[in-house]
Amino acid sequence: GRVPHLARRARGRRAMEGGGACACCAECGTRPHHTFWLNKDCCGLICASVTNGLLAYAEYVVLTVIIWPWLGNTLWGALHGVAFTAVVILAVASHYKAMTTDPGAVPKHAVPADFEPGDSGKSYRVCLKCDSFKPERTHHCSICERCVVKMDHHCPWVNNCVGLGNHKFFLLFLFYVFSASAYAMALLASRWIHCTGHTPSRRRDRLRGRRNHFPAGGSPQEAVIEAAVEAAAGSAIDTVASNVFPECDLSTGSHVMLFILLLEAILFGLFTMCMMCDQWSVVLTSATKIDRLKNEKNGVSQTKRDVCMNLNEVFGGEPRFSLTWLLPTEVRFSRPEHVYGFRVHEDAEMDDLTSLIVEPVETGNGPALSNV
């Protein structure tokens, strides 16, 4: 048996064997015959582009408006620049993986994980819309037009469903966007504290207030001398005030860019923090939003599972912390067919599956097939 990524490789080999001008290019889409997973929803593509654009904007402003003018070529400047860039790169990489990874779509010829050719009289449920086997905790996405294992929701910001196959990448995307937002706000606050009371205009006012003026009502010669001194002193004060803390002397455009960055960091920081809190409950209970809503509607209590098992289901590998949990690397399972709940047989074995009986799932109102 095979799982989704192996099934896609097999489809890709068959497409290459078919020849033709388009055979050399991987087709993008979410249908079973597509070899590269990418949702072509216009709204999702726009949202994904905006997300990457905002991350690029934050990177540019933090490096060119905050770190470089403030810390320059110092060691702290280099460390902050490398650290913030690394966080943004990890956020972009996690976003790309969440968007282009099969979230756990059930292939057309999927059967239960424990099914073997030759089984007869065995029934299982199918989806009315995509006409494929529907394992437990599987729901149909009307945007991707596929049944997705452990589907939580369809997220326009990653232009993809969030399911078993890409849940890790979605969590990492939220984590690194939140980290970038918090990092940017910390740098903004540090720079503001550093420049408080040291802006050129404030220093200029203090220096001018300390100067002694000639007494009013003097002779015309004294008035001329006073005017000359005022002009010379004003020029000197402007030069001193601008050179003491040049990093605090920003243009109007730079102030506007910092204000936009602050709004972006606050909005996306709060949004991702709320999403992480919500997704943390999904990880700990292994119950998606759709599962919780269906259980509440039907009055069914959620089955408790071991926390280590739930973490292993999201991050793969051994049920203990690993550095790969923090990196957008592939999720691997020792027995993937049992995690996904299905397997895909080779084309030569499909003739042996004719004895498998497809039956609807019994519900409270009679036979019906779930499409959620």
Side-chain angles (χ1 to χ4, degrees):
R2 291 171 293 171
V3 289
H5 64 281
L6 297 180
R8 289 198 305 276
R9 291 179 185 175
R11 291 197 301 270
R13 288 195 299 269
R14 289 196 293 269
M16 294 295 292
E17 293 172 357
C22 298
C24 297
C25 300
E27 296 183 2
C28 300
T30 60
R31 305 301 297 169
H33 62 277
H34 290 137
T35 57
F36 184 81
W37 185 277
L38 179 64
N39 200 310
K40 297 180 181 179
D41 178 60
C42 181
C43 177
L45 291 173
I46 293 176
C47 290
S49 301
V50 169
T51 300
N52 288 312
L54 291 173
L55 288 171
Y57 175 81
E59 171 76 4
Y60 173 79
V61 174
V62 167
L63 292 182
T64 62
V65 183
I66 300 179
I67 295 179
W68 178 254
W70 176 22
L71 301 174
N73 293 324
T74 63
L75 176 61
W76 281 112
L79 291 176
H80 282 299
V82 171
F84 189 82
T85 301
V87 173
V88 172
I89 290 176
L90 287 171
V92 173
S94 300
H95 180 268
Y96 175 79
K97 293 292 290 184
M99 182 173 62
T100 60
T101 299
D102 186 341
V106 182
K108 185 71 174 177
H109 300 303
V111 293
D114 57 353
F115 173 80
E116 294 295 339
D119 289 349
S120 60
K122 195 171 184 178
S123 62
Y124 64 99
R125 64 176 189 166
V126 297
C127 177
L128 285 176
K129 295 183 178 180
C130 57
D131 194 28
S132 62
F133 166 58
K134 197 168 187 178
E136 294 294 329
R137 302 185 303 163
T138 300
H139 309 285
H140 186 87
C141 176
S142 59
I143 299 178
C144 294
E145 298 181 341
R146 298 289 297 276
C147 276
V148 178
V149 179
K150 199 183 175 184
M151 173 185 169
D152 185 74
H153 67 287
H154 185 95
C155 179
W157 297 108
V158 298
N159 189 33
N160 201 358
C161 278
V162 177
L164 181 60
N166 66 345
H167 197 187
K168 170 188 174 181
F169 306 130
F170 180 70
L171 293 175
L172 290 179
F173 168 67
L174 294 177
F175 173 73
Y176 286 120
V177 170
F178 173 78
S179 300
S181 301
Y183 203 161
M185 286 191 289
L187 290 174
L188 282 169
S190 299
R191 184 192 174 280
W192 179 80
I193 294 173
H194 169 74
C195 292
T196 299
H198 299 303
T199 58
S201 60
R202 293 186 178 181
R203 291 188 58 81
R204 188 180 299 115
D205 294 339
R206 288 200 300 269
L207 289 173
R208 282 177 175 171
R210 295 173 183 174
R211 285 195 297 110
N212 295 322
H213 298 272
F214 286 95
S219 63
Q221 293 80 4
E222 291 176 341
V224 172
I225 295 174
E226 181 180 3
V229 171
E230 283 282 351
S235 178
I237 289 172
D238 291 339
T239 302
V240 172
S242 298
N243 291 334
V244 174
F245 291 95
E247 69 275 12
C248 300
D249 187 16
L250 298 179
S251 63
T252 303
S254 296
H255 280 102
V256 172
M257 295 173 68
L258 290 178
F259 179 73
I260 296 175
L261 176 65
L262 178 62
L263 289 180
E264 177 187 348
I266 292 175
L267 292 177
F268 278 85
L270 291 175
F271 175 74
T272 52
M273 181 177 66
C274 294
M275 287 296 297
M276 282 194 299
C277 293
D278 177 75
Q279 289 298 309
W280 183 244
S281 65
V282 175
V283 174
L284 293 182
T285 63
S286 190
T288 64
K289 294 179 181 178
I290 300 178
D291 291 330
R292 292 198 296 258
L293 290 174
K294 291 180 66 176
N295 291 336
E296 292 175 0
K297 180 180 179 180
N298 299 326
V300 179
S301 60
Q302 179 65 33
T303 303
K304 293 184 178 181
R305 296 180 47 177
D306 183 66
V307 175
C308 293
M309 183 185 299
N310 297 335
L311 292 173
N312 184 43
E313 189 176 74
V314 174
F315 296 100
E318 297 295 330
R320 60 176 179 269
F321 177 77
S322 172
L323 288 178
T324 58
W325 287 17
L326 301 178
L327 300 175
T329 56
E330 294 294 335
V331 179
R332 302 184 183 278
F333 303 104
S334 58
R335 304 181 68 184
E337 65 276 4
H338 291 277
V339 178
Y340 282 89
F342 68 85
R343 60 192 304 179
V344 181
H345 288 270
E346 300 291 343
D347 294 340
E349 297 177 314
M350 292 309 299
D351 293 337
D352 297 330
L353 304 181
T354 55
S355 60
L356 197 64
I357 302 174
V358 179
E359 292 182 351
V361 177
E362 292 290 339
T363 62
N365 297 324
L369 289 178
S370 173
N371 297 306
V372 181

